[in-house]
Structures are given as C-alpha cells and as structure tokens.
Amino acid sequence: MEQLLVDEVLQLLENDNDRQLKNYLNELNISDVEELIDELPQHAVKFIESLSTKRAVNVFRILDFPTQERIIKKLQSNKLTEIIRQLPPDDRTALFSELKGDAVKKLLVLLNDDDRKEALVLLGYKEDSIGRLMTPDFIAVKIDWTVSRVLNHIRRYGKNSETIDVVYVIDKDGVLLDDIRIREILLADPDAQIGELTDNRLISLNVNDPQEEAISIFKMNNRVALPVVDDNNILLGIVTIDDILWIAHEEYTEDMQKFGGTEALDEPYLDIPILKLIKKRAGWLIVLFLGEMLTATAMQHFEFELEKAVVLSLFIPLIMSSGGNSGSQASTLIIQAMALGEITIAEWWRVMRREIISGLSLGVILGSIGFLRIILWQELGIYDYGDHWFLISLTIFFTLVGIVLWGSLIGSMMPIMLKRLKLDPATSSAPFVATMVDVTGIVIYFSIAVLILKGVLL
C-alpha cells in the first residue's frame, strides 16, 4: 500500500474529521480499505463504521478471522446487525463456525427467523464439508418454463442470488436436472422451453463431500459456480469460486506449514499466542527428536567398527544429508503431484519405477563426486585416508548410491501410503522423511562398510 494513502488517512484521524474520512474511505477500492485495516489495525472499527453498509460488508467478508473477531467485539450494535444480516450465507457460516458458542448465539439473535434457520442448517453440516461452503441464494427454474418466464424470474429474484452466471434446472420435486449458462438463455428464442437448452452435461457437488474435492473439480471444469445436492440429487445450494479460492489458500498454507514439520496454525503467525505457537511446534519437534535418537542407537550398534576405522565417521554428515535431501525432494514432488491430481494411489507402481531409476541415477552422480573427492584429496596430499583409501572411496560410492535410492523410495512412497490410509500426505513432510532416512542411512552405510572393508580395516 502507498504510504501517501496511509498518511492521508492518519491526518484525517488526527483532525477528527469524520465526515471527510467517511467520504474518503467510501471512494477507495475495497482492497485498499482492507489493506488500510492491516496497516492500521487499531482503527479497524472506525473504518468499518465510516463505510456504507454495503461496502462495510464487502470489506468485512475479505478480512481474516482474527480481525473480524476484534471488530465484532467493538462495533456498534446497529452497524454490527446490518453487517451480519447482509453477509452472504456462506461467509456468515464461515464466521459463525470460527466463533465460540456464546458469540454465535449473540449474532444469531440479530438475524430474522428465515436467516437464522438458514444459518443453523448450514452450521449443521460437518466442519470440512462442502455444505459449510454453500449458499442457498441461487436461481432455479423448472424444465417446462419458457425463456421469457425465466428472464422475468431472474429480474425479480436475481439481485438476491450469489451469482446469475448460471441458472439451475430442477423438476417439480427439486431434483437437479441440469445447469445452463445465462449467455445461452439470453441468446435463445423467448418462446423456447428451457428443456430445449439443456445438454445433460451436469457437474455437481455432494453436500457431504470434503471441501478438498471441490477444489479439484472447480480446477478441472473451469466453473465460477457449481450446484450442491444431497444423496437424492435434491438441489440445496451452490458453491462459488471465491469460496473455493479461499479454501485452496488455506489448504496451501496448511500444507506449507506441515512441510516444515509443524502443526497447521489456525491464525496468522503474529496473531497466534506465543504459548499456542510453542505447543504447535513442540509436538513435531519431540517426534523428530525421538526419531533422531534412533540414529544414535544405530551408531552405538556400530561402535566397534567406528573404533577400528575412525575415518568412517568423517563421512557420516555427508551420507545422512544426501539421503535426507533426496527423500525430501521426492516427498515434496509427490505431494505436489497428488495435490494437483497428476497422480493417484493406483499409480504407485509407476511412481516407484520412476523413483528407482531416478534414485539410482542421482545416487551414481553423488557417489561419483564423493569417490573422486577422496581420490583427489589423497593424491593432492590434502588429507591422508590411510593405506586403504581406495576401498574407503568405494564404500562411499556404493553407500551414496544406496542411500539416495532408499531416500527417493521412502520420500515417494510415504505420501501414497498415508493417502491410502486416508491420512494427510503433507504429514510426510521433509523433516519427517529426512529423520527416517537418517536412521536407516547409518545402517546402510556401516553394512556396506563391513562388506567392503571386512578383513582390511574392520
């Protein structure tokens, strides 16, 4: 945001020029007002109260929840009532689902009977279901209506609809039959029946399906809205692209946090209490720490070999990091591919086959570099690896081939296994995979060392 805009608003606030502030804010873009609230959170309530009701609603609905909650607590009751009543049903449901019980009860009282019933119905759906996203504000017409009648219906009820880009065709029992783009209706003969315009290429969402499914369906079908039906195909509402983009953003943020080895944060980083932040991070750190303790246990098992060939300890960080890096790479690539719908659980063998080839190739590349490094350091006199330096270089080569291959397989298969168990693949994040590969990497390293150096150094 331009500093000039912030300075102008601050000057109006300092001069207590409420009238000019109101005019100024109502001329700004909605996104500019939202950024102003981010820049000057202490004046958020003042900004919302200065806006016209319609603009206040449009700004309020794009704010993050912690900001919405702070505004609700301090907003004048009449302005709060106007905003809550005019919020679209899906945005209202999203707000209510985040608030605690008593706060929801206070806001429900502000609604009229019909809106209150509607809100309670939407809140009755499972938290992460499509039912929580849908709005019952849509245009539905009967299959035997004429185009002329449909246009009259849109003129009468369209202003209350979330979108009129698509009109939904139902039968006398409310069963969804098809959807028609408004463009086709506008270009059709006024006396034609709606049934003549249907093509039976209907795509719909089930009210009880997970919200993640809606993201992929929207992406694959290039829609601005999709109808929501129950198990009997009764049309209940619609989900619009703005809600899907918001959910996709939340899913992306959650996955990024899990990739880093932490629980997903429910609030922005700077808004979350420090004790809650520590709690979110401590769980995974403890799990990863306990995992790394197994690495120490594995090294203790090979204590005798280490005493006889101390030179092997020089390469432990190299071995562990190479395996962890290859596993993290594979895990990240597979999780992303699954999220984009590029691969499915059924294609696990294709994934494994590709990772075997990739892992071997990458292992040979890294192993060759490690092999040459030992030879060069020995020949140039930089470091003396002893009389059996060539066997040590072979040990490093084959270990890197094995550990990189193993890391690639673990990293690629772990997300698929978790998905098969109906768990979140993002939990097989880079730190988790790296920890697993560290433990097994030590075993692989010393097992190969014993095979090659037995009777020589060991």
Side-chain angles (χ1 to χ4, degrees):
M1 162 160 284
E2 293 183 10
Q3 188 59 41
L4 179 60
L5 178 60
V6 176
D7 292 341
E8 288 177 1
V9 171
L10 282 173
Q11 189 173 359
L12 292 173
L13 288 166
E14 290 172 4
N15 296 334
D16 289 327
N17 197 333
D18 292 346
R19 184 175 179 180
Q20 195 169 343
L21 176 65
K22 182 177 181 179
N23 293 334
Y24 188 80
L25 292 176
N26 278 289
E27 290 176 1
L28 291 176
N29 292 326
I30 298 299
S31 57
D32 289 335
V33 180
E34 187 264 340
E35 288 184 34
L36 264 177
I37 291 175
D38 286 343
E39 289 283 338
L40 306 169
Q42 68 274 27
H43 299 294
V45 174
K46 180 80 170 178
F47 295 154
I48 293 294
E49 288 179 344
S50 298
L51 294 169
S52 65
T53 301
K54 184 177 180 181
R55 289 176 61 81
V57 168
N58 288 331
V59 171
F60 184 83
R61 65 192 295 231
I62 62 174
L63 297 174
D64 57 63
F65 171 69
T67 306
Q68 289 179 333
E69 190 175 27
R70 288 196 299 268
I71 290 172
I72 286 172
K73 290 178 180 178
K74 298 179 181 179
L75 203 60
Q76 293 179 9
S77 59
N78 60 334
K79 191 73 172 184
L80 178 60
T81 301
E82 291 174 353
I83 290 175
I84 296 302
R85 285 181 177 176
Q86 292 196 29
L87 268 178
D90 49 343
D91 292 314
R92 193 160 54 213
T93 304
L95 173 64
F96 287 178
S97 63
E98 294 282 358
L99 292 168
K100 293 182 173 61
D102 291 340
V104 174
K105 290 177 184 177
K106 291 178 182 177
L107 295 181
L108 282 171
V109 173
L110 303 178
L111 301 174
N112 59 44
D113 290 342
D114 290 339
D115 287 344
R116 192 181 306 120
K117 290 176 184 176
E118 181 181 86
L120 290 171
V121 167
L122 293 175
L123 286 169
Y125 292 109
K126 200 161 57 175
E127 184 175 352
D128 293 321
S129 68
I130 287 172
R132 284 291 187 96
L133 289 179
M134 74 176 182
T135 173
D137 294 338
F138 58 89
I139 295 292
V141 300
K142 301 291 179 62
I143 194 167
D144 57 350
W145 285 10
T146 64
V147 168
S148 179
R149 182 176 178 181
V150 168
L151 291 173
N152 287 332
H153 184 76
I154 293 172
R155 291 187 191 100
R156 185 173 182 181
Y157 298 105
K159 64 181 179 181
N160 297 321
S161 176
E162 183 86 0
T163 177
I164 60 171
D165 289 347
V166 181
V167 172
Y168 302 95
V169 184
I170 58 175
D171 66 10
K172 57 184 178 62
D173 298 318
V175 174
L176 179 63
L177 302 176
D178 207 346
D179 57 1
I180 304 175
R181 296 179 186 272
I182 190 67
R183 179 176 181 273
E184 297 173 31
I185 296 174
L186 292 173
L187 297 175
D189 186 335
D191 296 324
Q193 287 193 341
I194 284 297
E196 299 173 22
L197 305 181
T198 58
D199 56 14
N200 297 315
R201 291 188 295 178
L202 178 65
I203 301 166
S204 62
L205 305 170
N206 187 283
V207 70
N208 296 310
D209 283 347
Q211 293 175 357
E212 286 185 18
E213 287 192 18
I215 298 173
S216 59
I217 293 173
F218 264 86
K219 182 177 64 179
M220 297 298 291
N221 293 283
N222 192 27
R223 296 296 187 97
V224 295
L226 281 175
V228 181
V229 298
D230 63 10
D231 294 333
N232 297 314
N233 208 37
I234 301 295
L235 180 59
L236 302 177
I238 63 172
V239 173
T240 52
I241 188 65
D242 59 323
D243 296 310
I244 294 301
L245 289 173
W246 185 260
I247 293 298
H249 171 72
E250 287 186 339
E251 290 290 334
Y252 174 79
T253 302
E254 183 178 311
D255 286 347
M256 287 303 102
Q257 289 165 352
K258 287 180 179 178
F259 283 159
T262 180
E263 289 183 42
L265 305 182
D266 302 322
E267 307 170 48
Y269 176 81
L270 292 177
D271 291 329
I272 192 169
I274 188 67
L275 289 177
K276 192 174 180 181
L277 180 63
I278 292 170
K279 184 180 177 182
K280 291 279 188 182
R281 296 170 65 177
W284 267 111
L285 282 176
I286 291 171
V287 171
L288 295 172
F289 180 74
L290 293 174
E292 290 292 356
M293 287 175 68
L294 295 175
T295 306
T297 303
M299 291 183 68
Q300 288 169 11
H301 180 74
F302 292 101
E303 184 178 4
F304 175 74
E305 284 78 4
L306 271 174
E307 287 179 354
K308 294 186 70 175
V310 179
V311 68
L312 294 177
S313 64
L314 298 176
F315 300 99
I316 289 176
L318 173 73
I319 300 298
M320 292 173 65
S321 63
S322 297
N325 290 341
S326 66
S328 300
Q329 268 190 349
S331 175
T332 302
L333 289 172
I334 298 304
I335 291 172
Q336 183 184 33
M338 292 175 71
L340 295 174
E342 295 173 354
I343 60 174
T344 62
I345 297 173
E347 295 174 299
W348 68 272
W349 172 241
R350 289 185 62 193
V351 174
M352 177 178 279
R353 192 169 57 197
R354 290 174 67 87
E355 285 303 316
I356 288 173
I357 297 170
S358 299
L360 279 172
S361 301
L362 293 168
V364 168
I365 292 171
L366 295 184
S368 299
I369 294 173
F371 180 83
L372 290 172
R373 192 263 194 195
I374 294 174
I375 292 176
L376 285 173
W377 259 240
Q378 183 72 29
E379 293 295 332
L380 295 174
I382 297 174
Y383 188 85
D384 184 11
Y385 291 102
D387 295 337
H388 306 290
W389 59 269
F390 186 75
L391 291 178
I392 291 172
S393 63
L394 283 178
T395 300
I396 298 305
F397 173 80
F398 286 112
T399 299
L400 283 169
V401 172
I403 193 69
V404 172
L405 172 61
W406 177 244
S408 298
L409 288 175
I410 288 290
S412 60
M413 291 296 105
M414 185 63 66
I416 294 175
M417 289 172 59
L418 289 174
K419 187 73 172 178
R420 182 68 180 85
L421 296 171
K422 300 189 183 303
L423 299 173
D424 189 352
T427 54
S428 63
S429 55
F432 186 60
V433 171
T435 301
M436 286 188 64
V437 176
D438 284 350
V439 178
T440 51
I442 292 295
V443 177
I444 292 172
Y445 180 31
F446 284 101
S447 297
I448 292 175
V450 168
L451 284 175
I452 294 177
L453 299 173
K454 190 174 183 179
V456 180
L457 282 177
L458 302 177

